[in-house]
Amino acid sequence: MSVRFSASLCAMIVVGLGASTARAGDGAPSYSRDVRPILASTCFKCHGPDEGARQAELRLDTPEGAAADRDGKRAIVPGNLESSELVRRITNADPAEKMPPSDSGKSLTAAQIDTLRRWVQSGGKYEKHWAFVPPSRPAVPAVKNTAWPRNEIDRFVLARLEAEGLGPSPEADRYALVRRVYLDLIGLPPTPEEADAFVADRDPQAYEMLVERLLASQHYGERWARPWLDLARYSDTNGYEKDRNRSIWPYRDWVIRALNADMPFDQFTIEQLAGDMLPGATLDQRSATGFHRNTMLNEEGGIDPLEFRFHAMVDRVATTGTVWLGLSLGCAQCHSHKYDPISHTDYYRVMGLLNNADEPDVNVPDPAVAQRRREIEEQIAGLEAALPQQFPPTAGVGPIEARRKQNFESALARFIDAERARATAWTVLRPHEMKTNLPKLEVLADGSIYSTGDITKRDVFTLKLRMNEVAGPVTALRLEVLPDERLPGGGPGRAYYEGQKGDFFLSDVSAKVAGKPVAFHSASVSYGQIAIGSGDAKGQNVFDGDGSTGWSTAQREGQPHQLVLNFAQPLDAAAELELEMLFERHFAASLGRFRLSATSATTPPVAKDMPVEVEAALARDPATWSNAERSTVQRHFLNTAPELAEARKQIDQLQSQLPAYPTTMVFEARPADNPRHTVRYHRGEYLQPREEVSPGLPEFLAGSAGGPSDRLAFARWLVSEKDPLAARVTVNRAWQAFFGSGIVRSTGDFGTQAELPSHPELLDWLACEFVDGGWSLKKLHRMMVCSAAYRQSAHVSPELLARDPQNRLLARGPRVRVEAEIVRDLVLAASGLLSAKMGGPSVYPPQPDSVTALSYGEMKWDPSAGEDRYRRSLYTFSKRTAPFAAYLTFDAPTGENCVAARERSNTPLQALTLLNDEMFLEASRALAARAAAAHSDSPQLCATSIFRRLLTRPPAESELADLLQFRDAQLSRLKSGELDAAAICKEQPPSPELAAWVMVARALMNLDETVTK
C-alpha cells in the first residue's frame, strides 16, 4: 500500500454513541443508525465534505468517494471484505498499518469494527442523512395497552416503552398537573382558587377545557415570546464596548401579539425574515423584520462599520441555520463544513440571500404619543397665532391694540427692508454626473441629493455641475444640509451611532474647473459644532487643509443648516465645476441629504439661519410675493423678533415637551438598481475577500430545481414542502419546552454529528401534523399537553432512574427547573404584586447599582416606580454587557447569541438570590402581609395560604407542623431582639408577628419545589 493511501484513514477515533454499534448476528447494519455515527465521529473531519482539510484526496462521506480508485486500492468494495482497504486497515495488527495509528491514543472497539465489517459485507449501502430527507407521515403504531393513549403521540411513546419492556407512569395528581400546565402555557402559577376549581371539577373534559382557557389567555404570548426571543438574541442595548441603549421593544411586542393570535408559523417566519418585501407591507410586517436587527452593533471609535456589518451577517447566517434548519451553518464561515454537506461557498451563498437589505429605524405610531403631540401642537398653534397681539405697543395715546398693531407692522417692514439688503438670490444646481466610493446618490424632485447604500469612515462624493443656469459669473456656492425622516435621527447626516445619530462630518471640499483647482476665499455657516464642548465649527475648516477640523452640526440633528463658500475668483457661467466632498472621521458620517446652489451676487454672501424659502422671497420685490410667501416671511419674523423673545418662551417650552414617537429597527429591501453584492471571504476573514457569489442554498438542499435567489423567496422556501428541516426543528423545540429535552437532544443541530432522535417516527409524525394543521403552534401545544405522556407523574423509581436517567424513553412526566423569568414571575404572582400591563418600553425592576456600575458609561440602574416595578420579567430591560443579575443567575442568556436551549443548573448562588435579592424580599413581604391580613386569627390558615400561593398544592400535616414550628422559632428570635423586625418588614413600627411570616415566605420561596415544574 502506498504511503499516500495509508495517511487517508488516520483520523479514525473511538466513537461513544450507543446507537452506533450493532451486535454480530443482528443482520445488516443501518448506515444512518449504525455506521454514519462512527464515520462522522472518526473519519469525516479529514475525509469528509471539507475539501480544504481532506487528506489523501479520500472522501468517505459519499459512496463515490469511498469507491474511488487510489493507486489500485478502494476504501470500500461493496460485499468484498478482502478488497476493502478500510476493513484491512482497521483490523491490521501491524502498528505501521493499523488505523487509527498507535500514536493517536485511540482505538476502535470490537463492536465498532464488527459493525463496519458487516456493513461492507452487506453491500456498504449509503443512505441520505435522515434529517435531510423530507418527513413523511408514518403509520401510528399499534400498542398492547390501548386504554392508556389519549392521542397519537401516546401511541408512539407507548410502542417504544413496550418494546423496551416498560410501561408508563400513572397520571400526575391534579394539583401537580394544573401547576405544570399553567407554568408551561402561560408561565404563571394558578391561584389556590383556580387549582381547587380544577381539582374539584369532575367533568371528563375538565383538563381539556382548562387548556383551552390557557391557550386563549393573553399571558400565553408573553410566556412563549421568551424562548423565541432567546433565538432572536433580543436585547435593549447594542452590545460590544459601549453597549448603548437601542429601541427595538416594538419587535418584542409584535412577537407577543403574533403568538397570541396564533399566527401560522409559516407566516410568522416569512414576516420576520422578509416582511418588508411583502406586497403592501404594513408597519407590523416591517417591525417583524427586527428579528435580524437584534444583532449587536459596535459603536467603538475607529472600527470599520462595514467589517462589523459583516460580523452581523455572520451572526444572521448562523442564527437562521439554528432556528429554521437546525444546522450549524456557522461552521462553514472559514472552511467547508467538516461533517455536513455545506461548502465554504455555500455559506456565503446563504449569506447572499440575507445580505441585500438596508437597516433603518422607523417610527412606530403610538396613540398616546399622537394624542399628546396633537394637544401640544394645538397649544403651540394658538400661541403662534397670538404672537402679533403680544407685540409691545407704540408710545402715545389711542387704543392699545391699534398701537400694538402699528408697532408690529412697522417692525415687520424694517425687518423686510434690512433682510432684503442682505438677501442673496440662489439658483439650485442639479449635478449631471455623480460618483462615490460606495454610497449611491440620487437627485430628488426639489434638486436635493439623497444618499443610500453602505457608507464608510472615508466617503468621497464627486459631483459635476453646470453653471449655465446662473445669471452672470458664479461667485459663491451654498451647501444646504437637509433633514429627512428616512435618515438616522432625521438626518441630515447618516451617522447611525447614539450620540451622533443623524450627524455628519464634512472634512474637506475642493473644486476644479477643466481639471484645474479652484480656490475658495472665505466661508460661513449658519451653525457649526463638531461635538459637545468642542466649540464652533467654522466654514473655513472645509478648505484649511486639516481634515480633522471640518464642519458638523452636532446636537442639532433633524434641522436644516447652511455652508456658504465664496470663490476667490468668479467662475464663468459656462464652466463645468467638479466638486469633491470628503467625509472622513473615526466613525462613518457622510451626508444623507443635501442641496447645492450658486449665486452671482457681487457682495460675498453669508450663510443665514433662516429657511431658504424666506431668503428666496426676500431676494425678490415684495410686490411679487404670493400670500403664502408673505405668510412665510411674517412667520419667520415672529419667530425671531427680539420684541417677542419673552412671549416665545412658552412656545419653546411646549416644543421641548413634544414627545417623540417610539422607533424600532427593521430591514428594508435595497432598490434593484443598487444591490449589495456578496463575496466569499477566504478563511472567513473580512480582509480577505475573494470571488463574488450568487445568493442560493447549499446544493444538498437546493436540489435539481434550484432554490431561492432573494430574501423573500428564501423565507418562503424555509416553510415550504421543499425544506425537510423547519417543521422538524420547530416541533422538536416545542417538545423540549414541555418535556425537558427534545426528541433530538441537540435542539439547534440536526446534522450528521447530532444524536439520533429518541422517537424518530414520532418526530416525523409531529412535523407532518404541524404542517397539515396549518402551522398552528397552539394546535401543536394543545396536542402535546393533552397527551397522556405529558400528564404522567414525575415521580421515578430507583429502577427506572437507573434504566433511563435522562427520561429519553418518556416513562415518566417532566420534572425540570423553570426558566429564570418564570422564577421571578411566579413569585410576583404569588405575592399579588405582579402587574398585568402588557407591552411598551422595557422596565427596571430593583437590583443592586453595582451590577451596571462598571459597564461602559457607568449606567445607573434606577428602579421603575409604580406597577412598572412589578411587570412580567419579559419586559425587564436587557443590557448585554451587564445582564439582569437574578436572571443570569438562573441561566438566562445575555442576548449576544442565538440560544436554542438554555443551560439548566442548580447552584448555591440561586438559593442565595431567592433568599436575599431585594425583589424577592419585596415579594416575601407582600405575600406575608397579604396572608396575615386575611388570616390574622389562624396561624394554620396563614401558613397554608403562603404555602399554596407558592406551591399550589395543600401542605401535608407534617409540612404544616414544620412551618408553624419554624414560624414560632423565628418569632421568638424577633421578640428577643436577635433578629431585626424593622429591617425584615421595612416598616415602622416593626411587627414581630409579620416579620415571622416574612421569614416563612422567604423559606418557602427557596424550596426546590417552588422553582420546579
Side-chain angles (χ1 to χ4, degrees):
M1 175 182 296
S2 70
V3 174
R4 177 184 178 191
F5 193 85
S6 67
S8 68
L9 297 176
C10 66
M12 287 194 163
I13 58 172
V14 175
V15 67
L17 291 176
S20 67
T21 59
R23 295 188 300 265
D26 282 350
S30 162
Y31 175 77
S32 293
R33 184 188 67 241
D34 305 318
V35 176
R36 181 189 278 116
I38 299 176
L39 297 179
S41 297
T42 62
C43 303
F44 288 177
K45 182 177 181 180
C46 296
H47 305 295
D50 184 1
E51 65 276 12
R54 196 176 299 146
Q55 296 185 16
E57 300 179 4
L58 173 64
R59 186 169 185 178
L60 293 175
D61 64 315
T62 65
E64 297 80 9
D69 186 288
R70 288 172 180 78
D71 299 331
K73 304 288 185 179
R74 291 178 173 84
I76 295 173
V77 179
N80 191 329
L81 296 179
E82 290 73 20
S83 299
S84 296
E85 190 67 14
L86 171 69
V87 175
R88 192 183 77 80
R89 298 299 296 273
I90 65 176
T91 58
N92 200 312
D94 183 352
E97 294 275 308
K98 187 176 179 59
M99 289 292 151
S102 57
D103 59 3
S104 70
K106 307 292 183 181
S107 61
L108 291 170
T109 67
Q112 291 166 340
I113 292 173
D114 180 64
T115 296
L116 294 174
R117 284 173 52 87
R118 288 188 298 111
W119 172 64
V120 172
Q121 180 68 57
S122 66
K125 182 180 179 181
Y126 277 76
E127 300 164 355
K128 197 171 184 179
H129 181 51
W130 68 268
F132 302 157
V133 179
S136 58
R137 186 185 289 267
V140 178
V143 294
K144 298 174 185 175
N145 181 6
T146 57
W148 184 71
R150 291 180 178 271
N151 59 30
E152 290 85 345
I153 288 174
D154 300 324
R155 294 186 181 275
F156 286 99
V157 172
L158 186 57
R160 176 73 189 277
L161 289 174
E162 289 178 346
E164 296 283 343
L166 296 172
S169 294
E171 184 167 294
D173 74 80
R174 290 176 76 83
Y175 282 114
L177 188 57
V178 70
R179 188 172 196 267
R180 179 188 299 173
V181 75
Y182 261 78
L183 291 173
D184 271 341
L185 289 183
I186 66 171
L188 298 172
T191 65
E193 295 76 18
E194 289 169 332
D196 289 343
F198 170 71
V199 171
D201 190 345
R202 291 304 162 190
D203 188 316
Q205 294 297 308
Y207 179 76
E208 286 75 11
M209 290 188 292
L210 170 64
V211 168
E212 291 305 317
R213 290 195 297 274
L214 295 176
L215 290 172
S217 168
Q218 292 297 295
H219 297 309
Y220 170 86
E222 292 178 314
R223 185 268 179 272
W224 284 93
R226 185 58 264 178
W228 186 259
L229 296 180
D230 284 6
L231 295 167
R233 59 268 192 251
Y234 175 86
S235 179
D236 294 298
T237 62
N238 289 331
Y240 291 115
E241 177 235 14
K242 289 184 170 55
D243 199 24
R244 290 191 177 110
N245 295 4
R246 61 169 47 167
S247 176
I248 198 168
W249 58 263
Y251 164 75
R252 176 246 288 151
D253 288 359
W254 177 88
V255 172
I256 296 170
R257 293 194 303 272
L259 292 171
N260 274 332
D262 198 21
M263 178 183 287
F265 187 77
D266 55 348
Q267 181 183 350
F268 187 69
T269 292
I270 291 166
E271 293 196 7
Q272 289 185 84
L273 290 180
D276 59 302
M277 299 177 71
L278 293 171
T282 65
L283 179 62
D284 257 9
Q285 289 169 330
R286 296 183 69 199
S287 298
T289 63
F291 177 87
H292 269 324
R293 290 300 312 280
N294 280 307
T295 46
M296 295 196 294
L297 174 67
N298 195 339
E299 298 183 280
E300 185 177 355
I303 62 100
D304 181 343
L306 296 183
E307 177 182 3
F308 279 88
R309 189 189 176 282
F310 167 74
H311 293 318
M313 288 307 307
V314 166
D315 171 70
R316 289 163 183 161
V317 173
T319 296
T320 303
T322 297
V323 175
W324 283 281
L325 296 172
L327 293 177
S328 51
L329 286 181
C331 291
Q333 176 193 345
C334 306
H335 49 72
S336 292
H337 204 293
K338 294 188 181 302
Y339 306 105
D340 296 331
I342 306 166
S343 72
H344 190 37
T345 299
D346 284 339
Y347 175 89
Y348 289 99
R349 297 190 70 211
V350 175
M351 181 180 286
L353 290 168
L354 300 170
N355 199 23
N356 196 27
D358 288 325
E359 303 177 15
D361 295 355
V362 295
N363 287 338
V364 178
D366 180 281
V369 171
Q371 176 61 28
R372 181 59 182 151
R373 288 184 68 90
R374 280 193 298 270
E375 293 170 356
I376 294 175
E377 286 167 351
E378 288 172 2
Q379 294 179 58
I380 290 173
L383 291 170
E384 286 182 337
L387 281 175
Q389 287 75 47
Q390 302 298 311
F391 223 81
T394 59
V397 295
I400 190 171
E401 291 305 320
R403 290 187 286 120
R404 192 186 302 278
K405 181 180 180 182
Q406 179 185 9
N407 196 22
F408 164 67
E409 291 175 346
S410 297
L412 176 58
R414 291 193 301 272
F415 166 80
I416 292 173
D417 289 342
E419 291 300 325
R420 285 198 67 224
R422 300 191 320 121
T424 301
W426 294 94
T427 299
V428 173
L429 301 176
R430 293 172 177 266
H432 64 275
E433 185 178 322
M434 300 183 291
K435 292 192 305 181
T436 72
N437 57 305
L438 194 58
K440 181 178 184 295
L441 302 182
E442 172 190 5
V443 180
L444 304 182
D446 64 353
S448 64
I449 300 162
Y450 186 68
S451 168
T452 57
D454 294 327
I455 59 175
T456 72
K457 293 188 296 182
R458 191 181 191 279
D459 286 340
V460 181
F461 297 175
T462 303
L463 314 174
K464 290 187 177 180
L465 308 152
R466 295 191 179 103
M467 306 286 112
N468 52 11
E469 292 188 18
V470 183
V474 176
T475 57
L477 280 180
R478 181 178 69 186
L479 170 65
E480 297 172 65
V481 295
L482 303 170
D484 192 296
E485 64 179 8
R486 296 170 292 179
L487 297 171
R494 296 189 60 193
Y496 184 77
Y497 308 120
E498 292 296 336
Q500 294 94 27
K501 189 171 285 190
D503 197 9
F504 68 93
F505 187 81
L506 179 57
S507 309
D508 188 72
V509 177
S510 60
K512 293 179 182 179
V513 171
K516 295 182 179 179
V518 173
F520 297 112
H521 174 265
S522 61
S524 58
V525 296
S526 58
Y527 167 78
Q529 182 169 289
I530 294 175
I532 298 175
S534 65
D536 294 341
K538 298 178 174 60
Q540 288 87 341
N541 289 357
V542 300
F543 59 88
D544 63 0
D546 183 355
S548 66
T549 53
W551 179 48
S552 177
T553 58
Q555 310 309 307
R556 287 194 187 175
E557 291 80 14
Q559 300 176 33
H561 306 285
Q562 300 178 14
L563 163 68
V564 171
L565 294 163
N566 294 294
F567 292 114
Q569 297 294 329
L571 305 183
D572 191 316
E576 179 185 81
L577 181 71
E578 181 178 305
L579 189 73
E580 183 177 280
M581 305 164 65
L582 171 64
F583 304 90
E584 187 170 24
R585 196 66 169 156
H586 63 275
F587 58 92
S590 53
L591 272 169
R593 187 174 178 184
F594 59 98
R595 183 165 50 203
L596 292 161
S597 304
T599 185
S600 58
T602 55
T603 302
V606 295
K608 296 179 178 62
D609 192 10
M610 69 167 56
V612 292
E613 59 269 22
V614 172
E615 184 174 20
L618 290 168
R620 299 192 348 258
D621 187 340
T624 66
W625 292 355
S626 66
N627 289 336
E629 288 174 320
R630 196 171 300 278
S631 296
T632 297
V633 172
Q634 178 174 307
R635 188 181 307 114
H636 177 69
F637 167 69
L638 291 170
N639 287 331
T640 57
E643 295 92 337
L644 294 174
E646 190 64 30
R648 286 196 301 269
K649 284 183 178 179
Q650 189 176 356
I651 295 175
D652 295 340
Q653 185 178 11
L654 286 171
Q655 286 176 333
S656 69
Q657 294 172 6
L658 278 169
Y661 284 109
T663 63
T664 195
M665 304 162 70
V666 301
F667 264 6
E668 184 174 280
R670 288 167 70 100
D673 62 350
N674 188 30
R676 180 184 289 114
H677 300 286
T678 303
V679 301
R680 180 182 65 84
Y681 289 91
H682 182 59
R683 298 182 181 272
E685 289 284 350
Y686 173 72
L687 297 178
Q688 296 193 58
R690 293 295 190 265
E691 73 280 359
E692 184 176 335
V693 299
S694 59
L697 294 170
E699 184 179 347
F700 82 99
L701 289 173
S704 59
S709 59
D710 64 33
R711 185 160 42 93
L712 178 57
F714 181 40
R716 287 172 170 158
W717 181 90
L718 284 170
V719 284
S720 72
E721 71 282 355
K722 297 177 183 177
D723 178 11
L725 290 156
R728 283 184 176 125
V729 171
T730 304
V731 299
N732 190 66
R733 275 198 304 266
W735 191 271
Q736 171 187 265
F738 290 118
F739 290 90
S741 63
I743 296 173
V744 177
R745 285 182 63 90
S746 52
T747 318
D749 186 3
F750 277 44
T752 58
Q753 287 292 87
E755 182 179 318
L756 292 171
S758 61
H759 298 73
E761 294 83 6
L762 173 58
L763 180 64
D764 279 7
W765 187 90
L766 284 170
C768 293
E769 184 72 12
F770 182 45
V771 174
D772 293 346
W775 295 87
S776 168
L777 286 170
K778 285 190 176 182
K779 285 183 183 178
L780 179 68
H781 294 171
R782 179 188 296 112
M783 188 191 320
M784 289 182 178
V785 301
C786 286
S787 68
Y790 175 81
R791 301 192 210 185
Q792 293 177 95
S793 168
H795 292 293
V796 56
S797 66
E799 295 77 18
L800 185 57
L801 184 63
R803 175 81 179 273
D804 185 17
Q806 296 179 339
N807 199 24
R808 299 297 288 152
L809 299 176
L810 300 169
R812 59 184 184 273
R815 175 185 168 84
V816 294
R817 181 158 288 201
V818 298
E819 295 99 315
E821 294 83 357
I822 296 179
V823 171
R824 176 173 173 267
D825 290 347
L826 74 85
V827 167
L828 287 179
S831 69
L833 291 174
L834 183 66
S835 165
K837 180 180 175 182
M838 295 183 66
S842 297
V843 296
Y844 302 83
Q847 75 168 347
D849 285 341
S850 58
V851 174
T852 56
L854 296 180
S855 62
Y856 178 88
E858 298 181 358
M859 173 189 176
K860 184 172 176 56
W861 186 274
D862 292 320
S864 299
E867 70 172 323
D868 281 352
R869 186 180 182 94
Y870 308 112
R871 298 281 304 281
R872 280 199 76 159
S873 301
L874 176 74
Y875 303 114
T876 298
F877 185 87
S878 168
K879 185 173 179 64
R880 284 185 163 113
T881 57
F884 193 71
Y887 303 161
L888 196 62
T889 300
F890 283 93
D891 306 309
T894 64
E896 293 169 295
N897 299 294
C898 171
V899 174
R902 293 187 181 187
E903 297 293 329
R904 193 179 294 133
S905 66
N906 189 338
T907 68
L909 187 56
Q910 294 171 352
L912 290 170
T913 298
L914 287 168
L915 279 172
N916 301 309
D917 189 285
E918 177 58 31
M919 63 184 180
F920 291 115
L921 289 174
E922 277 190 57
S924 66
R925 294 179 193 120
L927 175 55
R930 184 178 184 181
H935 307 288
S936 57
D937 297 331
S938 174
Q940 290 82 1
L941 290 178
C942 187
T944 299
S945 176
I946 296 173
F947 185 97
R948 295 205 60 199
R949 289 197 168 276
L950 289 168
L951 278 72
T952 304
R953 65 178 177 84
E957 289 186 9
S958 59
E959 291 173 323
L960 184 57
D962 288 344
L963 282 179
L964 293 173
Q965 182 180 356
F966 176 76
R967 180 257 184 185
D968 291 342
Q970 304 312 307
L971 183 59
S972 176
R973 297 173 69 196
L974 287 158
K975 288 182 175 180
S976 70
E978 183 181 348
L979 296 177
D980 185 350
I984 293 171
C985 293
K986 286 294 177 82
E987 66 176 26
Q988 292 289 346
S991 166
E993 290 76 12
L994 178 58
W997 287 121
V998 173
M999 298 292 283
V1000 170
R1002 288 177 66 191
L1004 287 172
M1005 282 183 188
N1006 198 40
L1007 291 179
D1008 183 66
E1009 184 179 348
T1010 300
V1011 295
T1012 302
K1013 71 165 189 176

